[in-house]
Amino acid sequence: MTAAPTGPAFSVHDIPFSTRGSWFDISPVIAEKTYAEDLHLVSHQNGMHGVLRLVPVNPAISDRAETRVEATPGLLSWIGESGRVDLAYESPDTVRLRGSGLGIGVHAAAQALTPFSGTYFFHDPAAGAHVFTSYETGRRYRMTVLSGTLTEAVGAQALGSADRGLAITEDVGGSWEITVEELDTARPPYESSATFDEIVESARRAFADFVDAVAPWRSSATPAAELAAYVVWSATVRPTGLVTRPAVLMSKHWMDKVWSWDHCFNALALAPGSPELALDQFHLPFDHQDAAGALPDSVTHSEVLHNFVKPPIHGWAFGHLRRRLPTPPDRAQLAQAYARLERWTNFWLTARRAPGAELPYYQHGNDSGWDNATTFDPERVVVTADLAAFLVLQLHELAGLAEELGEADAALRWTAAAEETQTALLDQLWTGERFVARGAAGGDTWGSASLLDLMPIVLGEHLPGEISSALADHIKAHLTPYGLATELTTSPHYLADGYWRGPIWAPATVLVEDGLRRAGHHRLADDVSARFRALCETHGFAENFDALTGTGLRDRAYTWTASSYLLLAEAHAHRGSR
């Protein structure tokens, strides 16, 4: 039994094995920063839950076999001295496993079964299969033996605490094969529609088609492009529950949500090659816009959180998105985006401006997306320069959309609002050397060593030259060999793994790089891009990175990091081809 390579190799300790559309993955990561000894089938319905434990078995000793795990986008393998086990996705809710020389044990991850938690296990005679039914996910996991010998089945119909599961090995001189399906309640008994090798080839083609679409420009100069595409492709789920559209989760590790600014970077990376999916990413949080016009903090399978919001980068994002789409949006699409951005903007102009104030405020660092940045150390309810700058760009985008839609009076109104907001930003928060933050209630002002204070560079061509030059000089001080530290490394508040108090983050990198380039600081923008691309090519696509060592931190398979790499790598490739 052989298996052909199906794309770039990766470690399942860093990147889960999954496929586009699936709500589960195969990974040792079963909770935040929690790595199990065995690979698990991990579901992301109703939260993140390790449901089934997959154990390669040495049939000679009927115990766990020593193996190494190899993974490519279409195939996951346990390889031991006496044989191997292979796993591939037949569809988003079905995996096939095949083995020779080694068996496999499939066990409920949780031994305890209570009236409210755990996994019940039984044999279903109608389907001719064994079924694990999970309280945590609300789904069933049906295992059907296609060939081979069932050597063990324990815990069927057991209540309380028990080991539940089964093991399968090959017949003499042959191999074995099983399927595991995630289903709601029932479906007809499983019937094989393709051979295992055909399934692997189909998975290989599906990913190859995707990467050819989203990264046709890739070359040896962009060596991480295929793996970045896999991170995005494999983290995509089909519409289910409160997820109204096909959605790219931030990760199929524990950051398994769509946050309401993260989605913009995935939309931008997907736009040229997968435009429908890109538009779905942009609009998904807007599907849950509340009566006040606010976007939710996050969306996932079974919850929509409104306890915080995220920064209004959506005007900036839609402006780029519409230019990156292969076919310009039609009038209906523009009208929909305009209506949603209008409500989102009015939220900031009404619910988030104090009486008589010209600039909006955040209620907490979480609203900014920079949760614990040092800008928020003195106070949390704060008027900040980044927020005003994002709002100016959003107002300009609304003006442009209104003009295209034939609403001339609205276009003039939005343009005036943009100019008034930018004037207030410069008059109230620019000291002549730097931007400061101001308490929304008391009016005290302060500066910090956070890169957040320099984010008005996103205004690009709208900034006076002397201000953009001053910001560029300050931004240079944040550059380490690996990219832009979110807190100056010389700051007493710098923390190597301090979330937004030092580590390098993808969205800040993309926003700063774009603003620098639009402001005419091309050399510095090139440097920012090059360092971040090299960081990803060496250290992968983590949630964030140690600014002094480059080490990936926190969740190690983060889609906005992968998408940011794709954006910067594509732009670099196109600049090099001119």
Side-chain angles (χ1 to χ4, degrees):
M1 183 173 62
T2 61
T6 56
F10 58 91
S11 167
V12 292
H13 281 77
D14 293 335
I15 300 172
F17 180 78
S18 192
T19 195
R20 177 173 174 168
S22 181
W23 278 91
F24 68 84
D25 62 79
I26 309 299
S27 171
V29 181
I30 56 174
E32 182 175 357
K33 301 178 182 178
T34 303
Y35 292 76
E37 180 180 5
D38 297 307
L39 298 187
H40 283 58
L41 185 152
V42 182
S43 174
H44 298 274
Q45 300 196 63
N46 294 323
M48 180 185 185
H49 306 285
V51 180
L52 301 179
R53 182 166 51 92
L54 306 175
V55 185
V57 174
N58 182 339
I61 59 174
S62 298
D63 202 354
R64 175 185 284 105
E66 292 297 320
T67 60
R68 71 179 187 276
V69 175
E70 295 183 356
T72 59
L75 183 68
L76 172 73
S77 301
W78 293 261
I79 301 173
E81 290 185 0
S82 59
R84 64 185 292 146
V85 175
D86 294 320
L87 180 151
Y89 276 84
E90 181 173 359
S91 71
D93 63 13
T94 302
V95 290
R96 287 262 288 269
L97 292 91
R98 177 181 70 176
S100 176
L102 295 177
I104 193 78
V106 182
H107 306 271
Q111 285 205 326
L113 177 64
T114 79
F116 307 103
S117 65
T119 303
Y120 175 61
F121 177 58
F122 63 97
H123 180 263
D124 182 3
H130 287 81
V131 178
F132 301 85
T133 183
S134 166
Y135 275 92
E136 283 73 19
T137 70
R139 302 296 181 274
R140 298 164 187 245
Y141 303 84
R142 186 172 76 180
M143 203 202 88
T144 303
V145 177
L146 305 180
S147 64
T149 301
L150 185 65
T151 60
E152 177 185 56
V154 298
Q157 303 185 48
L159 304 178
S161 184
D163 184 22
R164 298 172 176 85
L166 45 80
I168 183 82
T169 61
E170 63 194 35
D171 296 324
V172 176
S175 62
W176 59 263
E177 194 167 337
I178 64 172
T179 185
V180 179
E181 305 163 89
E182 183 180 58
L183 55 124
D184 293 340
T185 304
R187 64 174 59 157
Y190 176 85
E191 291 186 6
S192 175
S193 60
T195 68
F196 189 89
D197 288 335
E198 288 170 342
I199 289 169
V200 173
E201 175 59 19
S202 177
R204 185 199 66 77
R205 286 198 310 270
F207 173 69
D209 290 345
F210 178 81
V211 73
D212 283 344
V214 301
W217 39 261
R218 67 194 186 279
S219 70
S220 59
T222 56
E226 287 197 12
L227 192 55
Y230 175 74
V231 170
V232 175
W233 180 79
S234 65
T236 304
V237 295
R238 65 189 183 278
T240 302
L242 296 172
V243 174
T244 52
R245 304 162 181 264
V248 180
L249 302 179
M250 288 313 103
S251 175
K252 280 184 181 169
H253 287 328
W254 59 86
M255 299 296 280
D256 54 354
K257 297 183 179 185
V258 176
W259 276 269
S260 291
W261 70 312
D262 311 43
H263 68 112
C264 292
F265 300 91
N266 289 331
L268 291 175
L270 290 165
S274 189
E276 290 186 8
L277 185 59
L279 286 167
D280 282 332
Q281 300 326 294
F282 181 79
H283 281 290
L284 192 152
F286 285 95
D287 291 345
H288 298 280
Q289 202 167 13
D290 72 8
L295 296 184
D297 183 62
S298 63
V299 178
T300 191
H301 171 268
S302 54
E303 67 175 17
V304 178
L305 298 182
H306 287 278
N307 51 334
F308 296 103
V309 293
K310 285 294 174 277
I313 69 167
H314 303 81
W316 168 87
F318 189 73
H320 281 292
L321 177 63
R322 59 188 302 205
R323 289 187 291 273
R324 289 177 57 76
L325 293 170
T327 301
D330 60 29
R331 183 179 177 82
Q333 291 173 317
L334 293 178
Q336 180 187 43
Y338 177 77
R340 290 179 158 197
L341 286 172
E342 179 181 35
R343 294 182 62 221
W344 178 221
T345 303
N346 283 333
F347 163 79
W348 289 99
L349 295 177
T350 54
R352 289 298 183 88
R353 285 201 298 192
E358 296 175 283
L359 297 175
Y361 59 85
Y362 292 129
Q363 294 177 342
H364 187 279
N366 289 359
D367 284 345
S368 75
W370 295 51
D371 308 358
N372 66 336
T374 55
T375 299
F376 301 100
D377 280 0
E379 299 181 34
R380 256 61 64 194
V381 183
V382 179
V383 176
T384 64
D386 70 295
L387 173 53
F390 292 140
L391 195 58
V392 168
L393 293 179
Q394 192 149 294
L395 289 162
H396 280 302
E397 183 63 23
L398 280 169
L401 287 169
E403 187 172 354
E404 285 191 56
L405 293 169
E407 299 186 23
D409 289 345
L412 291 173
R413 187 174 68 251
W414 293 124
T415 298
E419 292 171 351
E420 291 163 5
T421 303
Q422 180 159 330
T423 297
L425 166 64
L426 300 183
D427 287 348
Q428 298 175 30
L429 299 182
W430 177 252
T431 68
E433 297 180 354
R434 59 170 299 122
F435 283 104
V436 294
R438 187 182 74 227
D444 291 341
T445 61
W446 60 87
S448 77
S450 175
L451 183 65
L452 185 62
D453 291 7
L454 308 179
M455 290 307 292
I457 193 65
V458 298
L459 287 169
E461 70 277 14
H462 301 290
L463 280 173
E466 67 274 13
I467 294 180
S468 75
S469 293
L471 290 175
D473 287 340
H474 289 306
I475 287 166
K476 288 176 187 175
H478 284 262
L479 271 177
T480 75
Y482 303 97
L484 289 168
T486 47
E487 179 82 3
L488 286 174
T489 58
T490 55
S491 165
H493 305 294
Y494 173 85
L495 294 171
D497 187 9
Y499 226 50
W500 293 93
R501 300 170 81 91
I504 296 164
W505 285 79
T509 301
V510 169
L511 287 162
V512 168
E513 193 268 356
D514 176 67
L516 287 169
R517 202 170 292 285
R518 288 188 293 109
H521 300 284
H522 296 285
R523 183 172 297 179
L524 180 56
D526 288 343
D527 196 6
V528 169
S529 172
R531 295 187 196 208
F532 185 79
R533 286 183 282 111
L535 173 67
C536 292
E537 288 159 6
T538 303
H539 294 283
F541 305 105
E543 184 179 356
N544 53 69
F545 303 85
D546 187 309
L548 296 178
T549 68
T551 302
L553 303 171
R554 309 292 175 121
D555 194 312
R556 299 296 297 275
Y558 218 73
T559 56
W560 76 356
T561 308
S563 287
S564 295
Y565 175 84
L566 291 171
L567 283 168
L568 296 174
E570 177 191 9
H572 171 68
H574 288 164
R575 283 193 298 273
S577 65
R578 291 179 190 144

